[in-house]
């Protein structure tokens, strides 16, 4: 039935894949878009999606107007998480226009704030401000929509030398995390793979009559960096320490991400701005949507070692 069709854009991402797994399991007909480049990069997720019941995979570029028009035909619900492949603002607007034309009744868009609108001198983060621009456009065209603002992914942590969330393995077997965040200022955290799907599914079940136009801070724990390291220490049964310091880049990264990191260092390091801006609170609304979240200690104990092993690391043995 078309009324059970759910369109998901960027379904190989952590947010989209989480929703696809949950929604297909409870009987939604999931129309799962994946970008060809990401299908090649995230091959295991793309393969999993093709094997799920009630999932139709549509692969192609979101710069293809014909593909975008075809995505929403007969659908009444959609979850959109655009990423920085191509012109994200143009793609976001094209998706919204196509959804409105097709008669989508509830459009859940994964947005983020543009801190420059909140206070003079605060920088815009380039990978976030484009989402905020698209959010405002969605509001302008009158598409019934809800906007989820996701916290920092627990899943960002790795002992590989990637910037900002490197949980660095020390010679004595302990871990150390260095980042520009204030050690005692709480930040919002989210296990994206575990918790986005159930939360967004509840938003869709409640419908636009409850959530249209609303911004929801999707995070389940407010933890300081010190508390994050304490949770890792309990979960891994190894010492874990936090040090406030500048972001170091030891591996090649895209120029856009480098600009994002520079902005994060200014916004949350120098200015200690609230992560979601001044108007969005967490985790109260997120907990009303879904109470069975996976916290940081559980993530560190049960998931972090598995993700590390999948990356070829052996410290857990």
């Amino acid at each position: 039935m078309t009324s059970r069709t759910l369109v998901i854009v960027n379904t190989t991402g952590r947010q989209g894949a989480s929703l696809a797994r949950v929604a297909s399991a409870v009987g939604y007909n999931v129309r799962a878009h994946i970008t060809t480049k990401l299908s090649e990069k995230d091959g295991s997720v793309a393969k999993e999606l093709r094997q799920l019941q009630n999932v139709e995979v549509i692969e192609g570029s979101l710069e293809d107007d014909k593909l975008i028009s075809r995505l929403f035909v007969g659908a009444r619900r959609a979850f959109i998480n655009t990423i920085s492949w191509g012109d994200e603002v143009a793609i976001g607007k094209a998706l919204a226009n196509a959804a409105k034309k097709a008669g989508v009744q509830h459009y859940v868009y994964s947005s983020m704030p543009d801190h420059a609108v909140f206070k003079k001198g605060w920088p815009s983060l380039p990978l976030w401000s484009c989402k905020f621009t698209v959010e405002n456009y969605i509001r302008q065209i009158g598409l019934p929509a809800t906007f989820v603002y996701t916290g920092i992914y627990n899943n960002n942590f790795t002992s590989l030398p990637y910037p900002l969330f490197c949980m660095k393995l020390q010679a004595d077997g302990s871990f150390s995390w260095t980042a520009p965040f204030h050690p005692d200022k709480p930040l919002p955290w989210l296990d994206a793979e575990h918790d986005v799907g159930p939360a967004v599914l509840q938003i869709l079940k409640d419908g636009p009559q409850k959530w249209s136009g609303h911004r929801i801070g999707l995070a389940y724990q407010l933890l300081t960096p010190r508390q994050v390291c304490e949770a890792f220490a309990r979960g891994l049964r190894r010492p874990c320490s936090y040090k406030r310091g500048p972001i170091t880049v030891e591996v090649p990264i895209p120029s856009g991400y480098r600009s994002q990191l520079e902005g994060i260092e200014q916004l949350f390091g120098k200015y200690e701005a609230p992560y979601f801006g001044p108007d969005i609170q967490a985790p109260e609304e997120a907990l009303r949507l879904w109470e069975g979240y996976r916290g940081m200690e559980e993530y560190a104990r049960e998931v972090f070692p598995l993700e590390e092993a999948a990356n070829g690391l052996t410290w857990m043995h």
Side-chain angles (χ1 to χ4, degrees), residues 4-16:
R4 297 289 289 177
T5 298
L6 168 61
V7 175
I8 303 177
V9 167
N10 184 24
T11 322
T12 54
R14 293 188 188 273
Q15 296 183 40

Side-chain angles (χ1 to χ4, degrees), residues 222-236:
L222 293 178
L223 300 175
T224 69
R226 290 190 205 273
Q227 290 172 326
V228 168
C229 286
E230 290 168 1
F232 259 79
R234 292 191 300 270
L236 296 177

